[in-house]
Amino acid sequence: MKKLTEFSMKIMIWLLIAGGCYAATNLKVESMMDISYPIVIISTDYTAPPKDVMS
């Protein structure tokens, strides 16, 4: 009985993985979220004290 349970669980896991891969490949682009992180980078090469750069 234990082997039957283990075999059934393995089949269920493989079916879930296969179903997830199938669903992910057929997902429309409009359904996916736009993941973009707004990033602003400021770099200076001014060799002065921080007080002068700030002003």
Side-chain angles (χ1 to χ4, degrees):
M1 189 68 167
K2 182 179 178 183
K3 288 187 179 193
L4 179 63
T5 305
E6 289 177 1
F7 178 72
S8 299
M9 292 300 290
K10 286 181 183 180
I11 288 177
M12 287 180 15
I13 289 171
W14 282 110
L15 287 175
L16 283 171
I17 291 171
C21 291
Y22 175 76
T25 56
N26 289 331
L27 187 64
K28 294 183 180 180
V29 176
E30 294 89 24
S31 301
M32 299 174 84
M33 294 179 7
D34 180 28
I35 302 175
S36 60
Y37 301 104
I39 297 174
V40 176
I41 298 174
I42 300 172
S43 85
T44 60
D45 293 330
Y46 191 66
T47 56
K51 189 175 183 180
D52 291 342
V53 173
M54 190 72 165
S55 61

